[in-house]
Amino acid sequence: MQQLWLKLKDISDLIVFKHSVFALPFIFVAMIVSSKAQSGTLWFGFKLLILGLLAAVSARNFAMAFNRYADRDIDKYNPRTASRPSVDGRIGSLNMQLFIALNAAIFIAVAYLINNLAFYLSVPILIILGGYSLFKRFSPYAHLVLGLSLGLAPIAGVVAIQESIPLWSILLSIGVMYWVAGFDLLYSLQDMEYDTANGLFSIPSRFGKEATFFISRLFHGQTILFWFLFALSANLGFFAYLGVLIAAIVLFFEHRIVLKDFSKIDRAFFYAEWLFGHHLFAFVFLDRI
């Protein structure tokens, strides 16, 4: 029993399972806005709630495990990542392959149970989710690919409810993409020297620290713009716009924290991930009520 628990802990460390909840607010923002427009109620039923949770968790498990598997040759020489289970031998290559395949199969099966469009999009989504790990080997746009991976969450949410992709969901998704990419730029500053020495194509390694700060601020400005357009396009009200304003304030303080003391990047990560997603959901929920 103890051995099983240790193995589960290793898997959790591999995919950082506790962070799976970070994508959920954006899925459910899209689902409640869509449900309210479709049926006049925020509640979309237990079936879609359970299937949505399964889809979100399996997609993220696939993405994280594929990333760890593909990056083994990079991670083992980086002091920040050398203790990951994919590198230090706690989880072997075959077990990672099986875990990746299992979660891909679960995601596709869940998409099939949701509706036809979800099923048709399931494999392309998995390809995008895995693309980040490969992109950073030849393009500095990998940060945007990572952003797109999480940005697909609202698209998935609205497809589950109405089997279509309205304009407001695209605007919401673009905002999420820029938010994640902007933060990933800051986070990747930790590996700037390593990436430069090993020929990896991160923006910090290609353009330097000051340019990275500027591009991150630019991306986060785009986040606020597209979320404002999302609220406008979805005909949301006061509380939704207030949520966007609070998101802008959170981003402002995130950049202040990192600029003053880069060692607090993990603290900024906590603020960005928790306050951003959950507060946006809370204010959109209030608005739709």
Side-chain angles (χ1 to χ4, degrees), residues 49-279:
L49 175 63
I50 294 170
L51 291 177
L53 288 169
L54 284 172
V57 172
S58 60
R60 189 181 181 282
N61 286 351
F62 167 84
M64 289 296 293
F66 185 85
N67 174 264
R68 298 295 191 252
Y69 179 77
D71 282 2
R72 290 169 299 159
D73 60 324
I74 298 173
D75 290 345
K76 65 182 178 180
Y77 298 114
N78 187 340
R80 189 177 66 82
T81 59
S83 61
R84 287 175 175 172
S86 53
V87 178
D88 63 13
R90 281 180 286 161
I91 300 180
S93 296
L94 179 59
N95 287 335
M96 278 192 284
Q97 291 170 6
L98 291 173
F99 187 78
I100 292 166
L102 175 63
N103 280 280
I106 291 172
F107 180 72
I108 293 170
V110 169
Y112 177 80
L113 293 174
I114 291 174
N115 57 49
N116 288 335
L117 182 57
F119 178 62
Y120 297 149
L121 292 175
S122 60
V123 173
I125 286 174
L126 290 177
I127 292 172
I128 293 172
L129 293 178
Y132 165 70
S133 302
L134 306 177
F135 241 78
K136 63 187 175 184
R137 296 171 184 266
F138 62 86
S139 171
Y141 296 110
H143 307 281
L144 286 169
V145 177
L146 178 63
L148 177 61
S149 298
L150 191 57
L152 292 170
I155 299 290
V158 74
V159 165
I161 299 294
Q162 62 187 68
E163 203 170 353
S164 64
I165 305 175
L167 175 61
W168 62 259
S169 66
I170 296 173
L171 296 170
L172 174 60
S173 293
I174 293 173
V176 174
M177 178 188 74
Y178 276 120
W179 164 57
V180 174
F183 175 75
D184 189 56
L185 285 173
L186 299 178
Y187 200 72
S188 63
L189 283 168
Q190 298 176 104
D191 297 325
M192 182 171 64
E193 293 180 3
Y194 180 83
D195 290 349
T196 302
N198 290 273
L200 297 176
F201 285 75
S202 67
I203 283 178
S205 69
R206 297 290 153 171
F207 302 106
K209 183 177 179 180
E210 295 305 317
T212 298
F213 279 125
F214 174 77
I215 296 171
S216 178
R217 289 193 294 269
L218 183 65
F219 279 3
H220 284 162
Q222 295 295 309
T223 295
I224 300 305
L225 172 62
F226 278 100
W227 282 356
F228 173 82
L229 294 174
F230 148 66
L232 190 64
S233 179
N235 296 314
L236 303 184
F238 168 76
F239 283 108
Y241 288 104
L242 181 59
V244 175
L245 175 61
I246 290 176
I249 293 170
V250 171
L251 281 175
F252 173 77
F253 280 105
E254 174 193 335
H255 282 272
R256 283 197 63 181
I257 289 169
V258 176
L259 282 170
K260 280 188 174 182
D261 185 356
F262 184 71
S263 66
K264 294 179 179 177
I265 184 67
D266 288 334
R267 185 178 173 189
F269 176 76
F270 177 84
Y271 287 152
E273 293 288 317
W274 278 98
L275 295 182
F276 240 68
H278 291 80
H279 276 68

